[in-house]
Every structure is written in C-alpha cells, then in structure tokens.
Amino acid sequence: LALLAALCVSLCSGESCLEPAITPSSYTTSDAVISSESVFIVEISLACRNGAQSVALYADVNGKQFPVTRGQDVGRYQVSWSVPHRQASSGRYEVKFFDEESYSTLRKAQRNNEDVGSIKPLFTVNVDHRGVWSGPWVSTEVVAAAIGILVYYLAFSAKGTIQA
C-alpha cells in the first residue's frame, strides 16, 4: 500500500529538472496609444540534464506569482502578465522560475511572513522593458491647423503688400 501511494505521488506531481538549460525570448508593449496596459510575455525553451519533459513551472515577478503554461512543443513554456502603463516603469524585470518543490517552499514562506530571498529559483530570466510611447507631444491636427493659419497669414500679408 505504501509503495502504491509513493508511486501515485511520483506520477501525479511534475518532474523535477536537474541543471536546466534555457533559451529565453521576451516581448513587452512599446505603444501606449493603442493599448491600456503594458503586456509582458516571456517564452523559454527548457532542456533538463535528466531529460524531464513535463516540468510544472511557476514564475515570480516582483513578489507576484504567475502560472507558467506549457506549449504544444516539448520543452516550450510561456508566462505573461500585464500592468497599467503607469506602473510599468522602464528597466529590467527579473522573472524567477520555480519548480513545484521550490514554489511550495516560496508560498509557505510567504504565508509565514518569512524571508523569501533565501529561496533559490530553478532559473532566472531578465526582461528589458524600454517603456511605452504615448504618442507625440503635439497632435498632428494641431500642427496642421498651425501650418494652415501660418500660410493664411503669409498669404494675407502678401496680398496686402501687393495691393499697397
């Protein structure tokens, strides 16, 4: 019975990854004109030395945890989150990835108000966010109106000079 319980626990839980090798890529929103929030997407290819393929991962960004989804391809994972543009300052964001064991340790430490800085992630990915562009300082309609008024003024002044 104990052997059956141990087998069930090992099959039900995700595999653990030894010596992970990752290839990360990331995307962040750069245009605030067409969106209301800044979106961050991190995709990784994960290869484990022990050949683990169905590793359950969790991500931590600035103390906030997110589930990591597994892609259709083996070893492909993705995590995404969004924040209002004003809260998404430009700079480097550190995304810490945890397996099930280290994630449960992290959650336990948070519940008990313990130091979470001592919990080592499986690996870390840095995401560079350049900030968002909010559009030109002066709208194109205002520039077009100002040019129109200037042309009208120059034409009216030239007409007055020619008639004089």
Side-chain angles (χ1 to χ4, degrees):
L1 185 60
L3 180 64
L4 183 62
L7 180 63
C8 181
V9 168
S10 68
L11 292 176
C12 294
S13 66
E15 298 177 75
S16 60
C17 181
L18 300 177
E19 296 181 22
I22 61 164
T23 305
S25 65
S26 62
Y27 166 81
T28 63
T29 304
S30 59
D31 192 352
V33 176
I34 60 172
S35 63
S36 60
E37 290 189 330
S38 292
V39 175
F40 298 79
I41 301 172
V42 178
E43 293 182 332
I44 57 167
S45 292
L46 174 65
C48 302
R49 185 190 65 151
N50 61 339
Q53 294 182 351
S54 60
V55 180
L57 294 176
Y58 302 89
D60 177 89
V61 182
N62 295 331
K64 194 170 183 184
Q65 288 78 39
F66 302 97
V68 178
T69 58
R70 229 178 301 168
Q72 290 182 357
D73 297 335
V74 174
R76 299 283 297 169
Y77 295 86
Q78 180 182 31
V79 63
S80 60
W81 69 96
S82 64
V83 292
H85 293 306
R86 292 183 185 191
Q87 294 176 9
S89 59
S90 62
R92 180 168 289 184
Y93 288 80
E94 184 179 58
V95 184
K96 299 175 185 175
F97 288 86
F98 296 90
D99 60 4
E100 281 186 313
E101 185 180 331
S102 58
Y103 180 69
S104 65
T105 305
L106 174 72
R107 296 295 293 160
K108 182 179 178 184
Q110 287 176 332
R111 281 193 306 274
N112 297 332
N113 292 324
E114 296 172 358
D115 180 30
V116 295
S118 61
I119 300 168
K120 188 176 184 214
L122 187 61
F123 56 88
T124 303
V125 173
N126 290 319
V127 177
D128 291 318
H129 179 56
R130 297 179 185 224
V132 291
W133 182 69
S134 300
W137 288 2
V138 180
S139 67
T140 54
E141 295 85 2
V142 172
V143 172
I147 291 172
I149 292 170
L150 180 65
V151 168
Y152 176 77
Y153 172 75
L154 292 174
F156 190 74
S157 297
K159 178 183 172 189
T161 306
I162 292 173
Q163 288 181 346

